[in-house]
Amino acid sequence: MHRRTRCLALALTGALLTGGAVTAVAAPSAAAPATAASPALPAPAVTGGLRTGFELSGGAAWTTLEEEQRFLAALDESSERLTVTELTRTAQGRPVQLVTVGATADPAAIARGSSVLFSCTQHGDEPSGREACLSLARDLAATTDPATLDLLRRTTVLLVPTVNPDGVAADTRENSLGLDINRDHLLLETEEGRALAALIRDLRPDVVHDLHEYGPTPGTYDRDLIALWPRNRNVDERVHDLSVVLTEDAVLPAVAATGNSTGIYGYRYDPDGNVYAQRAGDGQERILRNTTGLKHSLGILVEASNAPADALEEQNPALLNQRRVSTQLTAARATLGLVAERRAEIADATAASAARSAAVRTPVAFAGADNELPDPDEVDLAPPCGYRLDAGQAAATADVLALHGLRTEPAGDGGVVVPTAQEGRDLVHLLLDERAQYGLTVGAAVPCA
């Protein structure tokens, strides 16, 4: 669908919302037919019930924080399959809330079963993901669609609609302390990052879908929605490969099938649709999509374009806002559709990844990405079997290690040893080794017996 034609279609159906160089490869087609590994869950017609502030305005205004609180409270009150809980409070006292939709809200049962986590609005000036998560929570709570009901019987859907409420209030990327939450999933210096770490540790989601927005560059970096998987070289192969399937075979085709253009996050495209450079999307372990993979979950970063596609969207910003949200919703439903179809395969891959980390000693890469080889001195082919922390280091790092679910062992004089033979093996190296790029502290290497 031509972009102008697509915008005219949105105008007619707007009531639905109110009620480094790399080798050139073929780009995902903007007009490709749906070739998703599984069908996306259907988009329900909104004909009654609760509305977000965004929906009530026809896309002219974003849902306020106060409207969000009323909306979530009403959802919690009206639905037996949905529960709203508070994860933490920000530096300015605003709540970060978790919406749980499914057959159970018991944390132990969720951790044992299948679950998907949607992380929304880590950056406070990227509102479309937040709107999509609020609408998706309502749609899942109210659905009568048999396929969706079957999904919810087997898989728990977890949504954090507003990870960064202080940033939303100020319309800033960072939180109120000036910290980028999406660069804080390793050292956990933000209260918001700590809350997500505890959530992932306790509920063990099989998939983490992270919603963002970006400002396109016309001609080279200008797609309606772009996405990417965990690129960190230490991510388990099956977890990595299924994350690629989620991105390339499910999410991007589903969005393309709606007439929206798609691409890979960070790739620049020439006029023929070939990749000529990658300028974002590396393997650094402190970004959620990479941390997710290191914690044995499939991961996907999704970014919607925040710029007008044509004159219609320039003249009517509500049309632009509707598209931003609709592409996010389509991507989210595609993720749920893949989980519905390949739940057992995904669960097996994530469980096997965790088991191998605890049982197998493998090389560790301290740099590079899945498409970028690290230098030889950035890879340890025979890494240590643990790190000793003295009493001061142990006290200073105890809470971060615990939030990551990392086990320590007493080592005398108040110190501890952090063994690598545990599920968070790679995180241990990336937090405590002297070669780590974003290390927490430098521990003394414990050789293997």
Side-chain angles (χ1 to χ4, degrees):
M1 183 185 297
H2 189 276
R3 299 187 84 175
R4 175 173 291 276
T5 305
R6 192 226 27 245
C7 286
L8 285 169
L10 277 174
L12 293 172
T13 60
L16 180 63
L17 284 174
T18 66
V22 297
T23 304
V25 297
S29 171
T35 58
S38 66
L41 292 177
V46 181
T47 58
L50 294 169
R51 297 287 192 281
T52 65
F54 175 79
E55 292 168 337
L56 290 169
S57 74
W62 304 111
T63 302
T64 68
L65 290 170
E66 293 75 15
E67 288 171 337
E68 175 186 341
Q69 294 305 307
R70 293 195 295 270
F71 179 82
L72 292 179
L75 273 183
D76 196 7
E77 179 69 23
S78 64
S79 175
E80 294 183 356
R81 72 173 73 113
L82 181 146
T83 303
V84 179
T85 55
E86 184 175 304
L87 295 176
T88 192
R89 291 262 168 171
T90 68
Q92 294 183 343
R94 295 185 176 91
V96 177
Q97 293 180 292
L98 169 67
V99 180
T100 303
V101 193
T104 180
D106 175 59
I110 294 172
R112 290 193 301 268
S114 168
S115 61
V116 180
L117 170 62
F118 292 93
S119 167
C120 324
T121 330
Q122 289 200 72
H123 296 144
D125 58 353
E126 299 173 6
S128 69
R130 173 171 171 259
E131 299 294 347
C133 286
L134 290 171
S135 295
L136 181 61
R138 185 267 322 289
D139 295 345
L140 293 173
T143 187
T144 58
D145 171 65
T148 307
L149 291 173
D150 183 64
L151 168 80
L152 294 174
R153 280 190 290 269
R154 299 166 181 264
T155 297
T156 303
V157 179
L158 309 164
L159 306 101
V160 184
T162 309
V163 174
N164 183 8
D166 288 355
V168 170
D171 192 28
T172 57
R173 176 183 177 90
E174 295 79 12
N175 69 3
S176 57
L177 300 178
L179 299 174
D180 187 332
I181 298 168
N182 202 30
R183 300 298 182 273
D184 185 45
H185 295 290
L186 195 66
L187 301 186
L188 304 181
E189 296 174 325
T190 66
E191 189 59 34
E192 300 89 346
R194 293 165 67 87
L196 283 182
L199 176 63
I200 293 170
R201 176 197 64 195
D202 295 342
L203 300 188
R204 303 171 67 90
D206 292 298
V207 179
V208 178
H209 181 123
D210 189 24
L211 290 77
H212 288 262
E213 291 191 89
Y214 82 108
T217 302
T220 63
Y221 194 44
D222 186 15
R223 307 296 172 101
D224 295 325
L225 186 130
I226 53 179
L228 189 61
W229 52 86
R231 284 197 179 274
N232 189 280
R233 294 188 66 85
N234 300 297
V235 174
D236 175 84
E237 183 177 5
R238 284 183 68 196
V239 168
H240 169 273
D241 291 352
L242 280 170
S243 297
V244 175
V245 167
L246 171 62
T247 303
E248 294 192 326
D249 295 347
V251 166
L252 294 182
V255 173
T258 66
N260 290 283
S261 58
T262 63
I264 302 298
Y265 175 78
Y267 284 2
R268 267 55 177 181
Y269 297 91
D270 66 21
D272 295 324
N274 296 315
V275 179
Y276 70 86
Q278 180 193 353
R279 295 179 181 163
D282 59 17
Q284 59 176 281
E285 54 271 19
R286 61 183 182 162
I287 295 173
L288 184 60
R289 66 179 164 80
N290 285 315
T291 310
T292 288
L294 293 168
K295 292 184 175 182
H296 318 295
S297 300
L298 274 62
I300 181 170
L301 166 75
V302 171
E303 304 238 5
S305 168
N306 63 12
D310 52 29
L312 285 176
E313 289 188 354
E314 288 183 5
Q315 295 166 7
N316 186 352
L319 289 179
L320 165 62
N321 296 341
Q322 289 176 19
R323 173 173 58 81
R324 290 157 72 178
V325 175
S326 69
T327 55
Q328 296 274 22
L329 274 168
T330 299
R333 293 189 183 109
T335 288
L336 293 177
L338 182 74
V339 172
E341 182 172 287
R342 303 179 69 166
R343 178 185 299 102
E345 180 184 2
I346 292 169
D348 181 68
T350 58
S353 173
R356 274 193 295 274
S357 287
V360 180
R361 183 182 178 214
T362 58
V364 177
F366 292 98
D370 64 357
N371 62 344
E372 179 185 0
L373 288 174
D375 293 334
D377 63 354
E378 295 173 321
V379 179
D380 193 338
L381 299 178
C385 283
Y387 298 86
R388 191 187 190 285
L389 306 181
D390 63 30
Q393 289 175 307
T397 62
D399 61 337
V400 173
L401 296 177
L403 285 165
H404 285 305
L406 297 174
R407 186 181 77 256
T408 64
E409 300 170 355
D413 299 324
V416 298
V417 167
V418 187
T420 57
Q422 55 179 309
E423 288 188 7
R425 175 195 64 204
D426 294 315
L427 286 174
V428 174
H429 293 297
L430 297 172
L431 284 165
L432 303 179
D433 197 280
E434 63 181 357
R435 292 160 291 186
Q437 294 188 54
Y438 305 102
L440 181 63
T441 190
V442 176
V446 176
C448 299

